[in-house]
Amino acid sequence: MKKGIISFVVSVFLLSGCTDSFLDTENHNSLDEGSFFQTENDLIIAVNAAYSPLAHPGMYGQKYMLQFTTLDDRSWFENPEGQDKLIVSLNDFSSTFDDLYRGVFRCSDILKNINRLDGVVSEDKLNYYEAQLRALRAMYYFNLVTLFHAPYFYNETNVPTDPMAYYGNSDPKQFWDQIDIDLEFATKEGYLKKSYSGSDVGRITQGAAYALWGKSRLWRHYYYYLENKLGGTAEAADNLTKAKAHFSEIINGAYGYQLQGAPDSDSPAETKQDYLNALLSNSSFIAVTGFGGKTYKAENNSESVWEVQYNGNNRSAQGWLPGWQWGGAQNFLYSGLLGYKNTEMDPEGFYIYDETEDGSAAKAAGFDRDPRAYASFYIDVAPGHDSDPMDWRDNGYNINFNSSAYSKKVVASFGLYQGDMPFGTGALMKKKYAYPQFTNDDDGTMAPNCDPYNIRVIRFADVLLMYAEACYLSGSDEAAGLAALNRVRARAGMPGVDALSEAVIIKERDMELMGEAFRFLDIVRWSRDSRWFNAINFSTKTKLGYDFLTNFTKYTTSDPNIPYRWMYMPIPQTEINKQGGNLKQNPGW
């Protein structure tokens, strides 16, 4: 069983249920009270508990991945007939909202009380744990301000203590500014480690903190500066300059990040199987050997920058709480081929991948198009030919993918796509976080209900592409940005592009990150800039009860003076009701 920092469940502190999501107060008190939090071991337990909301069902344990891998235009979820894909219940994101505030409360409450351990715990160790708490809290803040816009803000100076009090909306700038404060502390040299081993694997590294800082500044360009018509200011330009610097720190620094299988890596891909093994290692739960190719480490490998840890262990047969009662997640349950529900991929997504040309490494290895297409989709080819293998191990599941057995054929059954289907297939299924198949033979008796796939929140390819985007937006260092983007293409054996543009960056992120819950939120941020929105490579051959592009455009052009409906998710109505009218809903919901 894997044992990373988020792979086990802390049950003695701050892990009870919560009806007041701003407070996290049900069944326990703040650290202000009681005899707990007097020793270094108490501090370790508390910090570990601050990690766990990232693994909870509202975040990477289920809901976050489910929502943001099925809201975009590259996937269909179950049977969409007669449904508008962009209709979301006001409470669909309630568990995400709650888990983010659990994280904010735990981090802030510990930071409020951490000085009680002066003289008990060394200054170096206090800085070490405080840096983790601040980087964690920055991640929770980042998600709150980008998903929900202006919920209630607090930090360690004003942690809420009265569960009967009412709380309203806060200025989003408070979130953005505190993110900078927290990450400035977290990235101080020597506070966080550059890597971890043993049971500490999964703790936030200095590189992860820098990556989040760069990402937050890039997102702030859209969410704050463009949204408030400040895009041409010196402050906005400085923000992008700093984003580039944060990304450069880990691209050029001594952190050891490599793209799996890249030409400049320790184990460059050479054969067709090597390319697939290297690409698929970034969403597998075990080292990927494939069928005779090189073996590539999967979880916590050289490409992983920020990774939420899971194992397949279920500590409560009746529980449904990833990262809480379970060491595993429920993502395979909802979108895996052997699971409860299916996420079927949009066929047009396959065709966005560039066809290979003579002389390219990918073509020399035997690919007819960018290998990333075959790392993103399970393909059931025409009758009489082998479909994609679902596993390479001799475990009873090393069979070929067959759409009639493992797919509800949403696209084919309801005539949702008017175009050529790759290889005459009846369905395309999501391959990432579903290869190889997780079975009971792997870990106990709960598969596929409780799965061990770690979620890669930020990986090095994403950092390189964000750096390219920041360079392009700033109008400076574009050669370096182009080189970073072409490193990602080179890992796939594809030739470089000649220049950066909105369309090039959008397509590269689409190809590289397909099926990893990035696409929808990329669309949301790019929608704040008409040049970027107009360059988005939406699916165009789908015949649905709705049209993604039309509906999204409808919501993003309704009123230029207010935030548009899909710029933010709805604040849960149950939370608004609790706050006595002080907390206002986001426009359009």
Side-chain angles (χ1 to χ4, degrees), residues 380-387 422-425:
D380 173 29
V381 300
H385 297 80
D386 287 338
S387 301
F423 304 102
T425 183

Side-chain angles (χ1 to χ4, degrees), residues 215-258:
K215 180 173 182 174
S216 71
R217 288 194 179 277
L218 179 59
W219 262 242
R220 186 172 183 171
H221 168 77
Y222 298 97
Y223 280 87
Y224 180 74
Y225 291 106
L226 293 189
E227 188 162 298
N228 292 290
K229 300 179 174 59
L230 299 170
T233 63
E235 182 182 329
D238 180 64
N239 176 68
L240 287 174
T241 297
K242 289 176 178 175
K244 290 189 301 179
H246 301 328
F247 291 135
S248 293
E249 172 68 24
I250 61 173
I251 292 173
N252 303 319
Y255 293 91
Y257 294 119
Q258 296 180 344

Side-chain angles (χ1 to χ4, degrees), residues 185-207:
F185 183 95
T187 54
K188 287 183 178 180
E189 188 63 32
Y191 282 13
L192 293 174
K193 297 180 181 179
K194 291 182 170 62
S195 64
Y196 295 93
S197 61
S199 62
D200 281 334
V201 169
R203 292 194 186 275
I204 297 163
T205 63
Q206 188 178 30

